[in-house]
Amino acid sequence: MTQEFDYLVLGGGSAGCTVAGRLSEDPATSVAVIEAGKGGDGWLVNVPAAVVLMVPTKINSWALDTVPQPGLNGRTGYQPRGKALGGSSAINAMVYIRGHRWDYDHWAALGNAGWSWNEVLPYFKKSEHNYTFENELHGTDGPLPVSNLRTDNPVHQLYLEAARQAGFPINEDFNGVSQEGIGIYQVTQKDGERWSAARAYLLPHLGTRSNLRVELQANIQRILFDGKRAAGVEFVQNGQTRVLRARKEVILSAGAFQSPQLLMLSGIGDGEELQRLGIRTLHHLPGVGHNLQDHPDFVFGYKTKSLDLMGLSMPGAGRMLGEIQRYRKERRGMITSNFAEGGGFLKTRPDLPAPDIQLHFVTALVEDHARKMNLGHGYSCHVCLLRPKSRGRVGLHSADPNQPPLIDPNFLGEPDDMRDLVEGFKLTRKLMDAPALAALRTEDCFTANVRTDGDIEQVLRQRVDTVYHPVGSCRMGVDDMAVVDPQLRVRGVEGLRVVDASVMPTIVGGNTNAPSIMIGEKAADLIRAAARKG
């Protein structure tokens, strides 16, 4: 079998699938994707409601842990990340959000030429096949389906009525002219089935493009170099160590945790830290692993008697059997649920240039990432802080590539983050206490006795964790702590780029899957342009 390709893509996640799919459109360009997980297809991935089976387990997930978090009373956080072709787009809640235009203009203002809103919008549109909106802000012929939910859940109307009662505007398109308001999310689904980045960009072409190879269950050990030029990759597959070579470039797309981990294992990072672990320094690049950002998230939870909401009960089991039959016949109903069906973007202060908190209204009672189950039926509402000031880092526990990385999000490490999340808590509770939703609940599970700001701070430290949006650990920029330049090339070496959410200089105001796909689309053009220049 061929052991040399033009491009090696290390990681088959959202950005990796995208860049590999686009580069392999040219039959004269050979591409190999190296992915640690399995194929990312089948009912477990494609049936939307199966997300509840994957997130709390190691099914298609790395199921990583953080180090103890001082801002969270010393608790260890949980970080599920996709371990399958499609990456986290194979296990996520399928919410399609791009972020606010302010985010990308801010990237450009930091010196990242080519990354302003007007410059990235064409790549969002290029990726998108929107089945509802057709205007200057949306694409209608891209490979990624974006559609309205097909759950037909009557609770949507209660959620929207509660927003009206609380005085919040209703927003039908969070990716439209304005992001602010309350509404129902669009999702990366087609006909009630999940559409991961793998299903959009790679799976249709496997077996039909002879220039495209995917290696599955391949655990990458390190990037190989000829001098300071990336030349290949070493990985273990089926118990055997293998090597593939790259004629042109190695493209690292392992995500916000494992991209910096692989750089450090390959000798790129802070020289002193690498030396302490016994790793020979190829290039001293102190920013690797720093600048980690994530959205700190709190979840309200309520019990209800409504069978329109998910739960564990005998009547609910009977209802679910009917819903399974409906899904098989119509691809509609509860089984199409992404759980985080409703949402919202709100400002804690009116003078802000963009909303600074995001809501995810969940049609089930969720506790500790669904790792703690509750009898009966219920609903939840996440509130996360969109632009935290806290910065964390990704490091190495050891030089062993089979060990997980050291993950420290530093949640609530900055006092301003606690202040802003307290205000976000109050706004969310105002929505939850509006008559339309208050009449639905029978019990407030987590916040019934929370009344003062001190009470709010206490419950936040007890219950905040990730909402699954880590970014920034291989930051794009033009200063000495930047890891990649605005062309996504790793500084100080040749033939190596990082293409995933780790390159974001600051976290975007929203879910990170669509932005990661955009990064993959733009990277493909950057790579092709570089190849044309020779």
Side-chain angles (χ1 to χ4, degrees):
M1 295 177 68
T2 302
Q3 303 300 312
E4 188 174 63
F5 297 82
D6 293 319
Y7 299 100
L8 299 179
V9 179
L10 312 187
S14 295
C17 286
T18 303
V19 70
R22 288 303 191 191
L23 291 175
S24 64
E25 289 174 342
D26 178 1
T29 298
S30 59
V31 181
V33 179
I34 297 88
E35 166 57 42
K38 297 181 180 179
D41 203 3
W43 74 268
L44 189 61
V45 171
N46 297 339
V47 175
V51 64
V52 77
L53 300 176
M54 295 187 287
V55 168
T57 69
K58 290 189 176 182
I59 300 172
N60 292 332
S61 175
W62 290 95
L64 301 169
D65 292 317
T66 72
V67 300
Q69 296 294 285
L72 305 183
N73 295 338
R75 287 186 292 119
T76 296
Y78 179 57
Q79 291 279 351
R81 307 306 300 158
K83 187 180 181 182
L85 203 61
S88 292
S89 73
I91 70 169
N92 69 355
M94 296 158 274
V95 175
Y96 183 79
I97 293 291
R98 298 169 174 174
H100 197 278
R101 65 179 302 146
W102 183 90
D103 297 310
Y104 303 99
D105 288 341
H106 181 57
W107 290 5
L110 293 173
N112 297 294
W115 292 91
S116 70
W117 171 249
N118 288 336
E119 290 165 307
V120 302
L121 177 59
Y123 292 105
F124 280 115
K125 294 173 65 176
K126 184 179 182 181
S127 70
E128 181 187 16
H129 185 148
N130 200 298
Y131 287 88
T132 304
F133 302 111
E134 184 175 357
N135 54 45
E136 68 280 1
L137 293 175
H138 288 285
T140 57
D141 58 1
L144 183 69
V146 177
S147 65
N148 291 350
L149 281 159
R150 296 162 63 95
T151 60
D152 304 319
N153 196 323
V155 175
H156 290 181
Q157 296 310 312
L158 297 179
Y159 177 67
L160 297 177
E161 180 58 25
R164 296 184 188 98
Q165 292 169 345
F168 299 126
I170 303 300
N171 191 335
E172 295 184 353
D173 181 10
F174 293 123
N175 300 297
V177 175
S178 174
Q179 188 189 55
E180 191 170 2
I182 301 293
I184 306 301
Y185 283 128
Q186 284 202 301
V187 288
T188 51
Q189 292 183 11
K190 180 181 179 182
D191 296 330
E193 295 187 9
R194 175 193 295 273
W195 227 264
S196 69
R199 205 170 181 188
Y201 286 91
L202 282 190
L203 294 178
H205 312 301
L206 295 182
T208 62
R209 291 181 183 172
S210 59
N211 60 329
L212 175 63
R213 166 103 63 88
V214 174
E215 298 286 351
L216 297 174
Q217 296 180 280
N219 292 295
I220 299 171
Q221 306 294 291
R222 60 192 177 108
I223 302 165
L224 303 176
F225 287 83
D226 288 341
K228 280 201 169 184
R229 181 171 187 84
V233 62
E234 178 185 294
F235 59 94
V236 174
Q237 187 182 52
N238 299 323
Q240 295 185 333
T241 299
R242 295 184 56 196
V243 169
L244 295 181
R245 306 284 294 182
R247 282 186 288 264
K248 294 183 178 179
E249 292 190 23
V250 174
I251 301 163
L252 180 55
S253 297
F257 299 141
Q258 284 141 314
S259 281
Q261 180 189 25
L262 284 171
L263 286 177
M264 289 182 280
L265 289 170
S266 306
I268 301 174
D270 185 282
E272 291 186 7
E273 292 185 14
L274 297 180
Q275 185 176 2
R276 284 197 295 269
L277 292 170
I279 300 172
R280 184 181 69 85
T281 301
L282 175 77
H283 178 64
H284 175 64
L285 197 59
V288 173
H290 291 268
N291 193 53
L292 178 65
Q293 298 161 60
D294 198 353
H295 291 143
D297 181 75
F298 176 82
V299 186
F300 291 83
Y302 306 93
K303 287 191 175 181
T304 180
K305 293 181 178 179
S306 173
L307 295 184
D308 290 321
L309 294 156
M310 302 280 191
L312 299 174
S313 71
M314 290 299 292
R319 169 75 180 268
M320 195 55 63
L321 288 174
E323 291 293 335
I324 292 171
Q325 291 301 316
R326 185 184 180 194
Y327 180 76
R328 293 176 66 181
K329 293 178 181 178
E330 306 175 30
R331 289 297 192 265
R332 300 193 73 89
M334 279 188 171
I335 306 302
T336 68
S337 179
N338 69 328
F339 289 91
E341 296 185 17
F345 292 86
L346 302 172
K347 293 180 180 181
T348 60
R349 301 189 306 278
D351 60 323
L352 292 171
D356 63 330
I357 64 166
Q358 181 181 2
L359 311 186
H360 293 84
F361 180 76
V362 180
T363 56
L365 176 56
V366 176
E367 184 175 6
D368 191 20
H369 312 277
R371 296 187 295 178
K372 295 179 181 177
M373 304 303 293
N374 293 272
L375 292 176
H377 296 255
Y379 60 97
S380 311
C381 192
H382 295 248
V383 54
C384 72
L385 184 63
L386 289 176
R387 296 177 189 84
K389 293 184 178 179
S390 301
R391 297 291 184 268
R393 65 180 291 263
V394 177
L396 298 179
H397 289 289
S398 74
D400 181 357
N402 298 311
Q403 292 296 312
L406 181 154
I407 302 169
D408 180 9
N410 189 29
F411 283 133
L412 303 182
E414 293 290 333
D416 285 353
D417 291 351
M418 175 61 82
R419 178 202 67 192
D420 293 341
L421 198 50
V422 166
E423 295 306 310
F425 180 104
K426 294 176 182 178
L427 283 175
T428 310
R429 177 178 256 182
K430 181 181 178 182
L431 176 63
M432 294 296 102
D433 287 347
L437 284 177
L440 187 63
R441 71 182 183 227
T442 58
E443 181 185 345
D444 180 342
C445 298
F446 312 134
T447 57
N449 298 316
V450 175
R451 296 181 177 88
T452 68
D453 283 8
D455 293 339
I456 297 172
E457 289 188 16
Q458 184 177 12
V459 77
L460 290 176
R461 294 199 190 278
Q462 290 170 348
R463 305 191 75 90
V464 159
D465 203 353
T466 181
V467 73
Y468 322 121
H469 300 156
V471 308
S473 51
C474 295
R475 177 171 67 86
M476 170 172 55
V478 294
D479 59 281
D480 290 342
M481 287 297 288
V483 177
V484 300
D485 65 14
Q487 303 290 305
L488 307 183
R489 300 170 296 198
V490 176
R491 299 171 61 244
V493 298
E494 296 179 346
L496 179 62
R497 295 183 205 244
V498 180
V499 179
D500 57 34
S502 70
V503 305
M504 295 184 186
T506 55
I507 194 167
V508 296
N511 309 72
T512 51
N513 185 53
S516 296
I517 290 172
M518 176 276 291
I519 289 169
E521 288 275 15
K522 184 172 173 65
D525 272 4
L526 294 174
I527 292 165
R528 284 188 288 237
R532 285 194 297 269
K533 292 180 180 178

